[in-house]
Amino acid sequence: MRAGSWHRFVRLLVSLLMLLCACAAAGQNITLHKAVELAIRRSAPAAHADEDKAHAGYSEARAAYLPRVIFGSGIGGSYGFPLSLENAAPSLFNVTSQQVLYSPAQKAFVKAARTDWQAAQLQGKDQRDALIQDTVLTYVELNKWNQEIELLNTELANNLKVEGVEAERVKAGVDRPLEQNRAKLASARVRMRMAEAKGSADVLRTHLAQLTGLAEEELGTEPDSIPGLPEVKQQDNLAAKALQSSPVVKAADQQALAKRFAAEGEYKALLPSVDLAGQYALLSNFNNYDVYIKNFQTHNATGGIVLRLPFLDSTQRARAAQAKADAVRSGRDAEQAKQKVSLETLRLQRGVQELTAAVDVAQLEYEMAQSELEAVETRLKAETGTLRDEQDARSKVEQTYDSLIDANFALDKARVQLLRNTGELEQWAMSGK
């Protein structure tokens, strides 16, 4: 291929790459704020399922103090004395009512159910924070790969230019064929990295589409919508702050308290209790009541209190012992949850310091690589440098910039996790544009 044809080919390829980037950018870009908002809205029905279930359990426990009225009928024939049908006299129509008047056990069970409901609300808050964190990290990482792809497109275009120049120099006998192969190898490495970047971006775009409910092919990021992450001060006691605000810790405490109330209720089931009960029945003549019962009448009603005084109930005592063991284990789990959150927060806080230093190192390496490139370009203009030196310097700039992007993402990831632990993630995520 002649020199003019090769230059036209390179210009055409660069134009196509720029067109592809423009088409990719023409999709629907969403801000981080909008992505988080859509993810929360999309997950709302399932997120409240556990809370609704726990609230229903609380309502069930409280309903024991309300009358439980049942309408029914026990129609059946009788031979001889009218025996009961399912512990009730045969009747054309009957109404039964029962409710708790006094029960130390039921009072404790109501407390346990209410505490379980509060724990479910806190767990829902933790699930919401986990969803926000997933959305934020997916968005930030997708934005990182998009930047990487733009850089690789530029790098590939530069390498293709070098390939063309090397082809001409080899043809002219200035350079050896080995130099042309080196240029081809550099381009092949860029294509390999681009394949990795595009694959990772596609996976993240699909995941973000699943979180937000938007079409996958329309998703794009807006870097300016990502708010700046707050500075992490090493002297702050973030572990204590996390213990105060973490829904995981609060939910574990509430679950342990609920288990203690449940164990208390099981033990109090051995104490006396009083119920209010009543029954009305419309009896029939074909059940032989008038034969065996003097002064039989069809309308009958009974009402009064039912006193229960457990005397010997080994089964209930064993159940209470089991509940006590569950309460002890739940208390230990709550303590372990506190230790885990405290330790993880401290590790993240110290890790941020280390990652910040890594970003500083990556930034300096990038600036040094840029300075070296500028020096090589100056020597090249003065005809004291070589094309190979320029290619190596440019490749080093691109590699150090990749490292800088990766270091910044690792730092942002740690800061986002730290915001979740301290209960500030949602406020930060929704503070963007």
Side-chain angles (χ1 to χ4, degrees):
M1 183 181 293
R2 289 181 293 183
S5 301
W6 178 262
H7 285 304
R8 286 195 296 271
F9 171 73
V10 170
R11 285 196 297 270
L12 178 61
L13 185 57
V14 172
S15 300
L16 288 174
L17 289 173
M18 294 177 65
L19 180 61
L20 289 174
C21 292
C23 292
Q28 178 184 352
N29 289 352
I30 61 170
T31 63
L32 176 62
H33 181 284
K34 186 65 175 179
V36 172
E37 187 179 65
L38 289 174
I40 292 174
R41 188 185 309 166
R42 182 173 174 79
S43 66
H48 293 292
D50 291 338
E51 294 180 36
D52 294 341
K53 180 180 178 181
H55 182 263
Y58 172 52
S59 299
E60 178 185 0
R62 290 182 60 193
Y65 291 95
L66 302 176
R68 183 187 180 195
V69 181
I70 300 175
F71 296 85
S73 177
I75 300 177
S78 297
Y79 177 78
F81 185 83
L83 303 174
S84 66
L85 295 174
E86 294 187 350
N87 300 319
S91 59
L92 298 174
F93 175 76
N94 62 70
V95 180
T96 59
S97 174
Q98 185 175 359
Q99 68 186 98
V100 174
L101 281 183
Y102 171 76
S103 174
Q106 191 62 33
K107 185 177 180 180
F109 290 146
V110 170
K111 291 181 180 179
R114 182 175 61 247
T115 310
D116 267 331
W117 176 33
Q118 294 170 347
Q121 290 176 315
L122 292 167
Q123 287 175 334
K125 176 65 169 62
D126 180 61
Q127 292 172 1
R128 180 187 177 97
D129 288 346
L131 174 67
I132 294 174
Q133 180 183 357
D134 188 13
T135 305
V136 167
L137 292 180
T138 301
Y139 188 96
V140 172
E141 188 174 3
L142 177 59
N143 182 71
K144 172 235 178 188
W145 284 115
N146 287 339
Q147 292 177 343
E148 187 90 6
I149 291 171
E150 291 178 5
L151 175 66
L152 290 172
N153 283 329
T154 303
E155 186 176 350
L156 181 59
N158 292 332
N159 285 355
L160 290 175
K161 290 180 182 179
V162 173
E163 276 191 49
V165 173
E166 286 293 348
E168 294 176 5
R169 293 172 66 87
V170 170
K171 186 176 180 180
V174 177
D175 286 342
R176 294 177 300 170
L178 178 62
E179 298 299 329
Q180 184 178 3
N181 290 336
R182 285 177 177 173
K184 290 181 179 179
L185 178 60
S187 299
R189 286 172 175 167
V190 174
R191 292 190 188 94
M192 181 179 67
R193 287 161 53 198
M194 185 177 290
E196 177 190 0
K198 288 183 176 179
S200 299
D202 288 342
V203 171
L204 291 166
R205 190 176 293 106
T206 299
H207 185 46
L208 188 61
Q210 294 170 345
L211 290 171
T212 60
L214 297 177
E216 174 184 339
E217 60 275 5
E218 298 176 355
L219 280 181
T221 59
E222 292 187 7
D224 294 339
S225 71
I226 303 175
L229 287 160
E231 180 184 358
V232 178
K233 298 179 179 179
Q234 294 300 317
Q235 64 270 22
D236 291 346
N237 191 355
L238 297 183
K241 185 176 181 181
L243 290 178
Q244 292 176 356
S245 60
S246 172
V248 174
V249 172
K250 293 180 180 179
D253 283 339
Q254 291 298 310
Q255 287 174 336
L257 182 59
K259 292 292 185 181
R260 289 200 296 271
F261 282 138
E264 179 184 338
E266 295 294 348
Y267 276 105
K268 288 185 175 180
L270 298 169
L271 299 177
S273 63
V274 180
D275 290 353
L276 178 64
Q279 182 177 9
Y280 164 79
L282 177 62
L283 305 180
S284 64
N285 291 320
F286 56 77
N287 284 110
N288 302 331
Y289 287 113
D290 55 342
V291 175
Y292 293 94
I293 300 176
K294 187 179 181 180
N295 300 325
F296 166 74
Q297 60 183 27
T298 57
H299 296 281
N300 301 268
T302 302
I305 60 173
V306 179
L307 175 63
R308 294 186 178 88
L309 181 59
F311 176 68
L312 183 61
D313 193 342
S314 301
T315 301
Q316 182 58 41
R317 292 186 183 277
R319 189 180 295 116
Q322 290 176 355
K324 182 180 179 180
D326 287 341
V328 172
R329 176 60 183 271
S330 185
R332 178 58 182 164
D333 290 343
E335 186 63 28
Q336 289 179 344
K338 293 178 182 178
Q339 294 173 357
K340 181 179 179 181
V341 169
S342 178
L343 185 62
E344 182 183 12
T345 303
L346 181 60
R347 184 175 64 250
L348 286 169
Q349 186 177 8
R350 299 296 182 258
V352 165
Q353 185 178 21
E354 179 182 348
L355 292 170
T356 301
V359 169
D360 293 339
V361 171
Q363 180 68 38
L364 290 172
E365 289 177 346
Y366 172 63
E367 292 174 358
M368 289 180 60
Q370 281 186 314
S371 300
E372 291 175 5
L373 176 60
E374 292 172 358
V376 170
E377 289 176 341
T378 301
R379 292 197 302 269
L380 195 61
K381 289 179 181 178
E383 297 183 352
T384 58
T386 64
L387 186 64
R388 177 65 181 172
D389 293 337
E390 183 192 22
Q391 184 183 10
D392 290 342
R394 192 176 300 279
S395 177
K396 188 174 182 180
V397 168
E398 291 158 352
Q399 290 174 4
T400 54
Y401 185 69
D402 287 346
S403 300
L404 179 59
I405 293 177
D406 292 339
N408 275 311
F409 175 69
L411 177 60
D412 291 345
K413 187 175 180 181
R415 285 177 172 176
V416 167
Q417 177 65 53
L418 200 55
L419 284 176
R420 179 186 172 186
N421 282 23
T422 56
E424 301 168 310
L425 178 60
E426 184 172 356
Q427 180 182 358
W428 170 83
M430 304 302 284
S431 66
K433 299 177 182 178

